[in-house]
Amino acid sequence: MTTGVSVVGAGMVPFGKFPERSLADLAWPAVKQALNDAGIDPRRVQAAFCGTAFGGMMSGQRILGRIGLTGIPITNMENACSASSTALHHAVSSVRSGQYDVVLVIGVEKLTKFGGGTLPLEEEDWEVSNGMVMPALYAMRAQRYMHEFGLTDRQLALVSVKNRRHGLLNPDAQMRKETTVEEVLASRPIAEPLTLLQCCPAGDGAAALIICSDKVAPQFRTDPVRILASDLTSGKYTPGFRDLTTPEITRRGAAEAWEHAGIGPDAVDLAEVHDAFSIAELIYYEAFDFCARGEAGAFLEQGHSTFGGKVVVNPSGGLLAKGHPIGATGAAQAVEVVRQLRGEAGERQVEGARIGLSHATGGGIAGFDHGACSIHIYAR
Amino acid sequence: MTTGVSVVGAGMVPFGKFPERSLADLAWPAVKQALNDAGIDPRRVQAAFCGTAFGGMMSGQRILGRIGLTGIPITNMENACSASSTALHHAVSSVRSGQYDVVLVIGVEKLTKFGGGTLPLEEEDWEVSNGMVMPALYAMRAQRYMHEFGLTDRQLALVSVKNRRHGLLNPDAQMRKETTVEEVLASRPIAEPLTLLQCCPAGDGAAALIICSDKVAPQFRTDPVRILASDLTSGKYTPGFRDLTTPEITRRGAAEAWEHAGIGPDAVDLAEVHDAFSIAELIYYEAFDFCARGEAGAFLEQGHSTFGGKVVVNPSGGLLAKGHPIGATGAAQAVEVVRQLRGEAGERQVEGARIGLSHATGGGIAGFDHGACSIHIYAR
């Protein structure tokens, strides 16, 4: 016996650099916005799941203590870049199973506390400690993809150009400045072929969602956004050859999500995918079967992944332009999908959007065996 | 529609200081022990919840990657000292609701990585940044309790004496050396009236559990330990007077747990409670109504909380003797209860034990408003 699940409230703070704000300062305005958006009395919230990677002990309790929303079960969840999409997954599961009717999801991160530079990854990870930090990994993916499929530097740069153009239309985006292929290619080299503008910026941010059962959703909004699929998976260790040009974890998660949602890639109007680096967005086009293997560069170049195309990928600007405060990303992707499906996305509205998808994937150095991936499909 | 839930596998590594082991090195033997204890094929595990406070990103994935148990949904959970009891709570909920039939719970922590000294608490917490670290808080509780109820230094020291005596009988305990009231009182002062031997030691450790639905439990063991109650709550902000002599969060959690289990304190044969400091165990006697308010010192002194008494509190040695690797504690408490209820506790066996309780509470500086508390009640 399961019940339908909807999002009835969504809120986020504009992403950016806010070293002067505490984690709780950063997050409570997003929570209040989500509560107000749902028109819900906070006392109706039965549980809260808070996703953060670096927030520190008791992040959710510190945030909710600030607005007096305490006494309920609060759980902090960490799955690297999938932290708050994992929290969303568990919120959806707990409502679907009948355990709760109203659950709050928070995603939050304050990366400026590290003062800049590469994020502190796990030194115990053998490959990380030998230099396989994220930009290096994605540079290898890009190199191999270019070698296999003839992707050009210009096509790769176009991902950043598109997402910056989208981000310009999003008041909540961290990077609100258009760029050109020339500018992207001329920006500081990070790990060949990736340049600075092909890597998501570091920043701070928070987002929140109110998740409801079908039973109570109509009490809060007449336009709930239904969740058709909520899937969480982890990487698999692959001995021997690792194909760097395809993300096994996302392909597997996508297959599960299509099955649970009962739809396929053709039905999707917009997708917020995990474009932490330019090459990432391209390999996700293929993992979600938005286009065939090896054709992502052409798919992008032909305008299929922007407004007016087959599927608008990262209308919010994605991680490259909206920003990527690690633990906040999954929840913020869901906020964007909700706004799009309600027709509230202003200048960046995807015309007639009915089906949306969000995808956050974290961890997972070269073998993806330490990775997490969470995919959600939504409908209005 | 909910199903009954049982523990069919339990494992832990002896707690201690293992600076040379990685987090994964520390935890996978506990996981294997739990799997072997359940006699279960690892491929039957459908999801894993890993509790840790300081384990770092993707702890669960790194641990399970080590034994090839990947591809399933893995979620890392943090609720300070309640981290793995929170993970256990969500495992129980997900099985009870029918989402999964077999879930793995891990608790793990490596505190030696900090090299000793006070744990790094949240500087953003106003009270912590003004000196209200845990020993200071519990010292204040002790002072006030002594003032209110006439508890003596000797009675306070007896908690450590009892739990060290219990720990001596537990091969998995970090501190396996008896002590005396005189020794406890003469040990280094930490925060008056608490001396060194009244504070739990820092250390490393891991524990794991296999949680099952009633449907599949008989496939693994003929003696599943049933979970009668699994409750998670958070602190409440109390403006004005804060009564330091009673833990509101535990009292509230206990009331919920008694209701869900359909039993009261008289039915409990053994309880693993969160004795991070000597005074803590005493105030928990009262929060669980094992004795009346103000009578905890006498209850202990009269032998009611040790072998042969009304309820054996911390037969494992508790945090004071078994040790307290933060994130491992909740799961390790559950391991002890399972062993006791199966009659597998060797020299420290609580005769005829039928009902056990575990209690892990974390965070929650002076007002407890940032706290978490998770309570489980088990039956054979």
Side-chain angles (χ1 to χ4, degrees):
Chain A
M1 262 277 293
T2 59
T3 176
V5 182
S6 299
V7 187
V8 297
M12 69 179 283
V13 296
F15 287 178
K17 299 197 177 190
F18 309 106
E20 75 291 356
R21 295 192 204 167
S22 73
L23 196 82
D25 286 340
L26 206 54
W28 74 255
V31 174
K32 282 192 91 163
Q33 198 185 113
L35 290 165
N36 289 336
D37 185 54
I40 196 172
D41 180 329
R43 284 169 293 188
R44 295 289 302 272
V45 175
Q46 295 167 296
F49 295 156
C50 177
T52 185
F54 299 106
M57 277 208 292
M58 307 297 269
S59 298
Q61 286 85 348
R62 283 184 282 137
I63 293 161
L64 296 179
R66 199 63 71 84
I67 56 172
L69 212 169
T70 52
I72 57 173
I74 302 172
T75 302
N76 300 292
M77 297 189 171
E78 184 276 317
N79 257 349
C81 302
S82 303
S84 62
S85 56
T86 293
L88 174 57
H89 168 74
H90 289 292
V92 170
S93 301
S94 71
V95 171
R96 182 168 285 155
S97 69
Q99 189 183 4
Y100 299 119
D101 279 315
V102 182
V103 175
L104 168 68
V105 175
I106 311 172
V108 62
E109 209 74 72
K110 184 179 167 183
L111 296 182
T112 53
K113 78 175 179 184
F114 297 116
T118 308
L119 288 179
L121 293 178
E122 283 314 311
E123 285 170 27
E124 286 189 356
D125 189 306
W126 181 257
E127 288 174 317
V128 169
S129 65
N130 281 283
M132 185 61 91
V133 292
M134 285 293 172
L137 166 63
Y138 280 88
M140 281 173 67
R141 292 186 182 284
Q143 293 275 12
R144 186 75 201 181
Y145 190 101
M146 293 167 109
H147 171 77
E148 294 275 350
F149 302 110
L151 181 81
T152 66
D153 273 330
R154 295 187 65 84
Q155 286 174 317
L156 199 53
L158 265 180
V159 178
S160 302
V161 173
K162 170 182 78 72
N163 289 353
R164 282 289 192 98
R165 202 173 61 236
H166 292 182
L168 185 65
L169 307 174
N170 182 0
D172 289 333
Q174 181 169 350
M175 299 306 210
R176 302 200 62 198
K177 192 166 173 290
E178 279 199 87
T179 189
T180 62
V181 166
E182 291 65 34
E183 236 176 30
V184 172
L185 294 178
S187 64
R188 183 150 58 86
I190 299 296
E192 203 182 337
L194 303 179
T195 58
L196 184 67
L197 297 187
Q198 294 179 57
C199 305
C200 61
D204 310 321
L209 302 154
I210 307 290
I211 309 300
C212 268
S213 66
D214 279 356
K215 197 176 78 190
V216 306
Q219 298 172 17
F220 307 119
R221 286 195 73 112
T222 55
D223 58 355
V225 169
R226 286 176 298 135
I227 296 187
L228 304 183
S230 171
D231 286 276
L232 171 65
T233 188
S234 61
K236 277 187 174 167
Y237 179 67
T238 318
F241 175 70
R242 297 165 173 186
D243 184 352
L244 285 168
T245 68
T246 187
E248 189 272 340
I249 187 171
T250 296
R251 288 199 77 81
R252 190 157 36 86
E256 285 177 19
W258 299 135
E259 193 191 321
H260 290 150
I263 60 162
D266 289 349
V268 177
D269 298 302
L270 71 127
E272 290 282 311
V273 307
H274 206 80
D275 61 323
F277 301 93
S278 53
I279 184 65
E281 180 167 310
L282 297 177
I283 66 176
Y284 298 139
Y285 291 174
E286 301 176 9
F288 284 108
D289 289 318
F290 295 144
C291 70
R293 280 277 278 152
E295 294 179 8
F299 189 80
L300 167 70
E301 213 165 26
Q302 289 159 20
H304 294 315
S305 57
T306 188
F307 298 102
K310 292 183 182 175
V311 50
V312 186
V313 178
N314 289 321
S316 71
L319 282 58
L320 286 168
K322 188 181 58 189
H324 182 33
I326 311 292
T329 285
Q333 291 175 326
V335 170
E336 175 69 12
V337 173
V338 166
R339 288 174 178 172
Q340 289 284 354
L341 296 185
R342 284 184 188 164
E344 294 175 350
E347 286 189 276
R348 68 186 188 287
Q349 180 63 47
V350 176
E351 199 99 15
R354 296 186 56 84
I355 303 280
L357 179 150
S358 66
H359 160 253
T361 185
I365 303 305
F368 271 130
D369 48 320
H370 297 171
C373 177
S374 181
I375 297 169
H376 289 80
I377 300 178
Y378 317 69
R380 69 163 162 130
Chain B
M1 263 277 293
T2 58
T3 176
V5 183
S6 299
V7 187
V8 297
M12 70 179 284
V13 296
F15 287 180
K17 300 199 176 187
F18 309 106
E20 74 291 356
R21 298 192 202 166
S22 73
L23 196 82
D25 285 340
L26 208 53
W28 75 255
V31 174
K32 283 191 90 164
Q33 197 184 113
L35 290 165
N36 289 337
D37 185 53
I40 196 172
D41 181 331
R43 287 169 292 189
R44 294 289 302 272
V45 175
Q46 295 167 297
F49 295 156
C50 176
T52 184
F54 299 106
M57 278 208 291
M58 308 296 269
S59 298
Q61 287 84 350
R62 282 184 282 135
I63 294 161
L64 295 180
R66 200 63 72 83
I67 54 171
L69 213 169
T70 53
I72 57 172
I74 302 173
T75 301
N76 301 292
M77 298 189 170
E78 184 278 314
N79 256 351
C81 304
S82 303
S84 61
S85 55
T86 294
L88 173 59
H89 169 74
H90 288 293
V92 170
S93 300
S94 70
V95 171
R96 184 168 283 156
S97 69
Q99 188 183 3
Y100 300 118
D101 279 315
V102 182
V103 175
L104 168 68
V105 174
I106 310 172
V108 63
E109 208 74 72
K110 184 180 166 181
L111 296 181
T112 53
K113 77 176 181 186
F114 297 116
T118 307
L119 288 179
L121 293 177
E122 283 314 311
E123 285 171 26
E124 287 188 355
D125 188 305
W126 182 257
E127 289 174 318
V128 169
S129 65
N130 281 282
M132 185 62 91
V133 292
M134 285 293 172
L137 167 62
Y138 280 88
M140 282 172 65
R141 291 187 183 284
Q143 293 275 10
R144 186 74 200 180
Y145 190 100
M146 294 166 109
H147 171 78
E148 294 275 349
F149 301 111
L151 182 80
T152 65
D153 275 328
R154 294 187 65 85
Q155 287 174 316
L156 199 53
L158 265 181
V159 177
S160 304
V161 173
K162 168 182 77 74
N163 288 354
R164 282 290 191 96
R165 203 175 57 235
H166 292 183
L168 184 65
L169 307 175
N170 182 0
D172 290 332
Q174 180 169 352
M175 299 307 209
R176 302 199 64 197
K177 190 165 173 291
E178 279 201 86
T179 188
T180 62
V181 167
E182 291 64 36
E183 235 176 29
V184 172
L185 293 177
S187 65
R188 184 151 56 88
I190 299 295
E192 204 183 337
L194 303 180
T195 58
L196 184 67
L197 297 187
Q198 294 179 57
C199 305
C200 60
D204 310 321
L209 302 155
I210 307 290
I211 309 300
C212 268
S213 66
D214 279 354
K215 197 176 75 190
V216 305
Q219 297 172 19
F220 307 119
R221 285 194 73 111
T222 54
D223 58 354
V225 169
R226 287 176 299 134
I227 295 186
L228 304 183
S230 170
D231 286 276
L232 172 65
T233 188
S234 61
K236 277 187 173 167
Y237 180 66
T238 318
F241 174 69
R242 298 167 173 184
D243 184 351
L244 285 169
T245 67
T246 186
E248 189 273 338
I249 188 172
T250 295
R251 287 200 78 81
R252 190 156 36 85
E256 285 176 20
W258 299 135
E259 194 190 321
H260 290 150
I263 59 162
D266 288 348
V268 177
D269 299 302
L270 71 127
E272 289 283 309
V273 307
H274 205 81
D275 60 324
F277 302 93
S278 53
I279 184 65
E281 178 167 311
L282 297 177
I283 67 177
Y284 298 138
Y285 291 174
E286 301 177 8
F288 284 108
D289 288 318
F290 294 143
C291 71
R293 280 277 277 151
E295 295 180 7
F299 188 79
L300 167 69
E301 213 165 24
Q302 290 159 18
H304 295 314
S305 57
T306 189
F307 298 100
K310 293 184 180 172
V311 51
V312 185
V313 178
N314 288 321
S316 71
L319 283 59
L320 286 169
K322 187 180 56 189
H324 182 32
I326 311 293
T329 285
Q333 291 176 326
V335 170
E336 175 69 12
V337 174
V338 167
R339 290 175 177 172
Q340 290 284 354
L341 296 186
R342 285 185 188 162
E344 294 174 351
E347 287 190 275
R348 68 187 188 287
Q349 181 63 48
V350 175
E351 199 98 14
R354 296 187 55 86
I355 304 281
L357 178 151
S358 67
H359 160 255
T361 184
I365 303 305
F368 272 131
D369 46 320
H370 297 172
C373 177
S374 181
I375 297 168
H376 289 80
I377 300 178
Y378 318 68
R380 69 163 163 129

